[in-house]
Amino acid sequence: MQPLVAEPIRTPRLDLLPLRVEHAEEMAAVLSDPALHTFVGGAPHSPAALRTRYRRLVAGSPDPDVSWCNWVLRPREEERLVGTVQATVTRRHTAEIAWVVGTPWQGRGFASEAARALVAELGRSVGTIVAHIHPGPVSYTDEEQDGEQRWRLVLPGPAGRIVGL
């Protein structure tokens, strides 16, 4: 499998930029609200800890059958970072995705817009997309992992037909 590489993605309001180590300082501030960690655990990272984490992510997965693709979110009208989206893509043509938007920017539809763009981008190379979503009023599957509801989308088209190989 050729590794997938994060390329810039544009939406009507956002630029999804491939993650760089240099984003750590600004993202540490964006992700500094302890409330963001209520469901995923842990605590906000310091800029130095986030730099170390971003170095690992940018270097890529040590497993040649897995691609790590990470983006930061920048609204064009604000010219600042507000969150991230990520995908772990396996040789089995499955992508597990996740997203987080800093507390001050929540409720503006940035997460939905970025996730839709990510799914559209990944749909050209994968057949199944999985996300883990904290249980709420909407449940997408009967599956649960680490206290989060599992959401699954099998995409139509050639990539979607190879699921299960």
Side-chain angles (χ1 to χ4, degrees), residues 5-143:
V5 177
E7 297 289 340
I9 302 171
R10 261 179 97 79
T11 73
R13 299 180 302 153
L14 298 169
D15 289 319
L16 282 64
L17 306 171
L19 179 71
R20 296 190 331 248
V21 175
E22 295 79 27
H23 291 133
E25 188 81 30
E26 187 173 356
M27 286 305 301
V30 170
L31 303 174
S32 66
D33 184 352
L36 288 174
H37 301 269
T38 300
F39 302 113
V40 297
H45 291 314
S46 68
L50 207 51
R51 239 184 330 276
T52 299
R53 177 175 168 70
Y54 285 3
R55 254 189 227 99
R56 279 193 316 270
L57 292 173
V58 168
S61 171
D63 182 341
D65 291 336
V66 175
S67 296
W68 291 342
C69 300
N70 296 273
W71 294 263
V72 291
L73 310 178
R74 184 180 68 199
R76 283 188 290 285
E77 66 184 38
E78 294 192 37
E79 289 294 319
R80 64 167 296 132
L81 303 180
V82 300
T84 65
V85 292
Q86 62 189 39
T88 300
V89 183
T90 67
R91 172 179 275 197
R92 300 181 78 168
H93 304 283
T94 297
E96 294 220 15
I97 64 172
W99 54 87
V100 64
V101 171
T103 306
W105 301 278
Q106 291 180 4
R108 299 186 197 179
F110 291 146
S112 298
E113 187 172 326
R116 278 192 303 272
L118 180 59
V119 167
E121 179 71 20
L122 292 170
R124 297 188 290 188
S125 353
V126 304
T128 301
I129 296 177
V130 176
H132 300 270
I133 301 167
H134 183 35
V138 178
S139 295
Y140 296 98
T141 70
D142 292 334
E143 301 170 49

